[in-house]
Amino acid sequence: DYCVRRTMAAQMVVREDEWLKRLASMKVNKEDMDRLIMNYFVVEGYKDAAEQFALESNTSLETDLASIGDRMAIRSAIQNGDVDAAMERVNDLNPEILEGNPSLYFHLQQQRLIELIRQGKVTEALEFVQEELPPLCEESPQLLDELESTLALLAFESLPSLSASQDAAPPPASGTCPPPSLAHLVQASQRQKTAREVNSAILTSQARDKESKLPMFLKMLVWAQDQLKDHATCPRITDLRTAELTNTAPPEAPPR
């Protein structure tokens, strides 16, 4: 193959034009791709997108829209800091979700504590800890470290402010501001982490995939590229958002 050369180390080198030609020759079933996209919309709770995509692609939803709406409402409540409302909705869906998952129940209670600390309600936060969290830590001692880290936030006068949709840049660690090892607890990413855990638990209770397949395939892509670079020099995707190829092959020597 004139487009494939070998280096001194006997490593295969594939030019970008040849790589693109090989990619174009791969046949992808449209129905499989549509199901993959639909799986992402349903699992991640994008109700409107799932409904519209079902109409446009004639792909089955494989679930009812009300179920997606319930999960969206719960996720939205957590991301807005209203953990009480989220827990109430979870119990309305299925009380066994929290009753049978002490770790999840603890993380929701931990999020409630974080929201109280964020609001400066120190007395209420301490009362909440004394009444609600010790029994959970007694049953699962490994959760005690997480509780202690959360309580450490009370030692700081200033906490990062944030909106529900984006993380705030943490201020430099000081006597009044928590270090990054603690500051992440009061950032939006912590709310999102808790929301994802709840979403997965609900899906598991409904005997559905608790994680969407698309991110898993992207992780497999990154892994495959890392494995391939030890055996061949070829274009690779460095930005998963755009899927733009970066040519890693050395320039071809000019003809003599």
Side-chain angles (χ1 to χ4, degrees):
D1 189 342
Y2 70 92
C3 291
V4 179
R5 296 171 282 115
R6 292 187 178 272
T7 65
M8 295 293 291
Q11 187 180 67
M12 179 183 291
V13 177
V14 184
R15 296 205 315 264
E16 185 174 357
D17 58 344
E18 173 63 16
W19 190 257
L20 291 173
K21 185 169 72 173
R22 294 184 183 189
L23 285 177
S25 68
M26 301 297 295
K27 303 301 180 184
V28 179
N29 186 285
K30 182 180 182 302
E31 291 182 357
D32 290 340
M33 186 63 69
D34 288 345
R35 283 195 292 270
L36 180 64
I37 296 171
M38 179 60 77
N39 171 263
Y40 178 79
F41 287 151
V42 169
V43 172
E44 298 300 325
Y46 296 112
K47 176 184 175 182
D48 294 341
E51 185 175 15
Q52 185 63 33
F53 188 72
L55 294 174
E56 294 177 356
S57 65
N58 197 29
T59 304
S60 172
L61 273 168
E62 299 182 357
T63 188
D64 61 284
L65 290 172
S67 174
I68 301 177
D70 289 335
R71 288 189 289 111
M72 284 184 65
I74 292 168
R75 171 177 288 185
S76 178
I78 295 173
Q79 291 179 340
N80 286 316
D82 193 352
V83 183
D84 287 341
M87 295 179 70
E88 184 176 345
R89 283 182 173 272
V90 172
N91 283 325
D92 287 342
L93 273 181
N94 183 353
E96 295 182 359
I97 294 175
L98 296 183
E99 291 175 2
N101 194 334
S103 176
L104 174 63
Y105 183 69
F106 170 84
H107 287 144
L108 281 166
Q109 296 288 54
Q110 178 192 30
Q111 193 64 47
R112 288 179 66 187
L113 174 60
I114 291 170
E115 302 303 339
L116 290 172
I117 296 173
R118 189 201 308 281
Q119 296 165 27
K121 298 179 179 179
V122 176
T123 301
E124 191 175 339
L126 292 174
E127 291 175 352
F128 174 75
V129 169
Q130 294 172 352
E131 294 173 3
E132 301 290 343
L133 295 179
L136 295 173
C137 294
E138 289 175 4
E139 295 177 8
S140 303
Q142 69 274 15
L143 300 176
L144 184 60
D145 289 342
E146 295 183 54
L147 175 58
E148 290 175 347
S149 295
T150 306
L151 287 173
L153 293 171
L154 292 168
F156 301 94
E157 298 175 7
S158 178
L159 297 177
S161 61
L162 81 168
S163 69
S165 59
Q166 62 183 15
D167 283 336
S174 68
T176 60
C177 299
S181 60
L182 295 177
H184 73 92
L185 291 171
V186 290
Q187 293 178 345
S189 57
Q190 178 67 22
R191 289 177 174 178
Q192 293 162 1
K193 178 182 176 183
T194 304
R196 285 195 299 270
E197 186 177 358
V198 173
N199 188 57
S200 295
I202 295 172
L203 289 166
T204 299
S205 73
Q206 297 172 346
R208 300 189 180 280
D209 293 336
K210 67 178 183 178
E211 295 182 4
S212 53
K213 294 182 173 65
L214 185 57
M216 179 186 68
F217 286 140
L218 292 176
K219 291 177 183 177
M220 290 175 62
L221 169 64
V222 173
W223 176 84
Q225 288 188 149
D226 289 340
Q227 296 298 308
L228 184 60
K229 71 180 181 181
D230 294 332
H231 306 283
T233 300
C234 56
R236 59 186 287 128
I237 296 174
T238 54
D239 189 341
L240 295 177
R241 295 172 300 176
T242 63
E244 183 177 352
L245 285 173
T246 299
N247 190 13
T248 59
E252 193 170 13
R256 295 181 179 274

